[in-house]
Amino acid sequence: MQQNSLMKSTLLYCVLFVAAAMSVMLYYAATKTVGVADLAQDEVVRPSAQKTESEAAVPTEENEIAINRAEMSTNYFCIPMPEKVKAEEVVLENHYMDKELWVSISAEKAKDYEAFFETGSVYGNCDSVEDGRFEAEEDRICLRFALNGVYEYRSIFEDHILYVEFVPSKEMYEKIIVIDPAYGGKEQGVAVDGILSKDITLDVAKALKTKFDQSDIKVYYTRMDDSNPAVEDRVELAAATKADMLIRIEVSGDENSKLYGTSAVYNSQYFIPGFGNVELADLLEREVVTSISGKACGLVESSEEDQVVNSATVPTAAIRVGYLTNSQEAILLQREDYIKRIAEGIYNAVIKAYSA
């Protein structure tokens, strides 16, 4: 008798549990609240890396997205979507160097969505948004919103509306640094026998990304392709994100082909109490030299040519990873394992800077 009563109680609890679980599932199915995938600029291929300036799509007045700034009933920036769009088809791309938010919607026939965005409008908290354009491609439509600063985002997709909350970088991340691979585009840096400094600095940055992606440090990169951001844009990224430090990667060159080794450049005219420019430069040189078992050439005070180092208002240093004009060092700078060791040294310097 007691056993039958226990079985009935167990069955009743099972039925109640299943009912509760189904209620939760039905609730979420009804509200359709789903997170949206986010991509940083360094995780996407920028059009400038694949197309020339004349080939790249340029928005016109006809594909401007209307912004209703009067409707401010929410703290979110609200982007209505066509009914056919699913959350998994929407990706937010943070083009922070361009101060743009891209909302990419994949579709077999993206042009079918053009009329929706031509006649519709976005609304809500638009304080961070200056204007919007859309571009229809073969397999996606891209909404491009120009912003008034560098932001991170929180987003949800609910009832065919994408809600975006703009968040200052420092509110989302405790530790922030900026990595600046020097040169890019037509500015090749030192070039010897087809070996270009701009490629070496980019390789080091990519090796660093592999390491920092596994850490709790948020890293912004001034470039991750063959673009050449202006000096003021490189410096502004550190200021806009309130970065703890800015590290520039350079390659040395000299008429004296016997010169080789690693050095670091710092701005002695801008004093930062505690951990400042010279401390960062010293830490970078020591850690990189240790990692590559190389030669230390010492710290160098910045000159007029070191515009990024001279203009930054956060702890900043340029690490010069070797002389491309030295035949032996040029060979090393083309080796993947050597690039990884340089990145290891820079990474170790950052970790020690935070633990100091």
Side-chain angles (χ1 to χ4, degrees):
M1 192 75 174
Q2 186 175 3
Q3 186 175 5
N4 290 338
S5 177
L6 180 61
M7 290 179 64
K8 289 180 179 178
S9 298
T10 303
L11 180 61
L12 177 61
Y13 283 127
C14 289
V15 171
L16 290 174
F17 176 79
V18 171
M22 288 296 295
S23 298
V24 172
M25 291 174 64
L26 289 171
Y27 170 78
Y28 281 109
T31 57
K32 300 177 183 176
T33 302
V34 184
V36 177
D38 294 327
L39 291 177
Q41 177 166 300
D42 46 82
E43 296 173 308
V44 298
V45 178
R46 300 175 68 192
S48 58
Q50 293 184 327
K51 300 178 181 180
T52 65
E53 188 173 344
S54 61
E55 293 173 331
V58 179
T60 63
E61 293 298 327
E62 286 72 26
N63 54 11
E64 182 176 0
I65 299 174
I67 300 178
N68 182 356
R69 298 186 184 274
E71 189 174 344
M72 291 282 290
S73 58
T74 174
N75 290 327
Y76 285 92
F77 177 53
C78 305
I79 309 172
M81 294 282 170
E83 289 190 7
K84 292 182 179 180
V85 174
K86 300 176 182 177
E88 58 268 24
E89 297 171 338
V90 181
V91 176
L92 270 65
E93 300 179 7
N94 187 352
H95 289 251
Y96 49 78
M97 281 301 292
D98 306 310
K99 293 182 182 177
E100 288 187 349
L101 164 65
W102 290 22
V103 180
S104 178
I105 308 165
S106 60
E108 291 184 3
K109 295 182 179 180
K111 289 188 177 294
D112 292 346
Y113 294 154
E114 281 188 281
F116 180 88
F117 293 106
E118 284 175 350
T119 57
S121 64
V122 295
Y123 61 94
N125 188 343
C126 307
D127 290 347
S128 303
V129 182
E130 295 185 344
D131 60 56
R133 300 284 190 275
F134 69 86
E135 300 171 11
E137 302 173 5
E138 289 186 6
D139 58 351
R140 75 167 188 168
I141 190 165
C142 185
L143 317 181
R144 299 173 55 174
F145 297 98
L147 308 178
N148 59 14
V150 177
Y151 298 97
E152 291 295 326
Y153 317 107
R154 296 190 183 101
S155 61
I156 56 174
F157 188 93
E158 180 180 7
D159 294 331
H160 310 299
I161 299 175
L162 175 63
Y163 296 90
V164 180
E165 179 186 12
F166 296 99
V167 185
S169 303
K170 209 61 178 180
E171 287 188 16
M172 187 170 287
Y173 303 105
E174 181 181 355
K175 301 174 182 178
I176 299 175
I177 70 170
V178 170
I179 297 294
D180 179 30
Y183 329 118
K186 294 180 180 179
E187 187 181 349
Q188 299 179 349
V190 180
V192 178
D193 297 331
I195 308 169
L196 308 179
S197 296
K198 68 174 184 177
D199 295 331
I200 295 170
T201 61
L202 187 58
D203 287 342
V204 175
K206 290 179 177 179
L208 276 170
K209 185 178 186 308
T210 300
K211 296 192 67 64
F212 279 118
D213 280 355
Q214 302 174 24
S215 74
D216 64 342
I217 300 171
K218 172 62 180 177
V219 183
Y220 291 93
Y221 301 86
T222 59
R223 72 180 186 98
M224 287 300 274
D225 54 27
D226 194 24
S227 58
N228 183 23
V231 170
E232 54 268 27
D233 291 335
R234 297 176 191 249
V235 173
E236 186 183 356
L237 179 61
T241 58
K242 296 184 178 179
D244 301 311
M245 64 192 82
L246 188 161
I247 298 172
R248 183 171 169 85
I249 307 166
E250 297 181 353
V251 177
S252 300
D254 196 275
E255 293 181 358
N256 183 355
S257 61
K258 293 182 180 180
L259 288 178
Y260 71 98
T262 303
S263 61
V265 182
Y266 69 98
N267 178 7
S268 63
Q269 304 302 312
Y270 187 80
F271 176 72
I272 300 175
F275 185 83
N277 298 329
V278 67
E279 289 81 10
L280 176 59
D282 180 59
L283 195 53
L284 281 167
E285 187 199 35
R286 284 191 285 112
E287 291 301 322
V288 171
V289 168
T290 299
S291 183
I292 64 177
S293 301
K295 172 189 172 185
C297 295
L299 305 185
V300 181
E301 289 192 25
S302 59
S303 65
E304 290 184 6
E305 297 178 353
D306 299 304
Q307 297 180 53
V308 171
V309 174
N310 289 335
S311 303
T313 56
V314 302
T316 302
I319 181 72
R320 293 176 176 170
V321 298
Y323 281 82
L324 197 54
T325 47
N326 180 281
S327 58
Q328 293 183 340
E329 208 153 44
I331 294 173
L332 290 173
L333 289 170
Q334 295 177 78
R335 285 172 43 180
E336 183 179 355
D337 62 326
Y338 193 76
I339 293 295
K340 288 182 178 179
R341 285 161 59 191
I342 293 173
E344 180 78 24
I346 297 173
Y347 176 83
N348 290 340
V350 172
I351 298 301
K352 289 190 176 182
Y354 277 116
S355 61

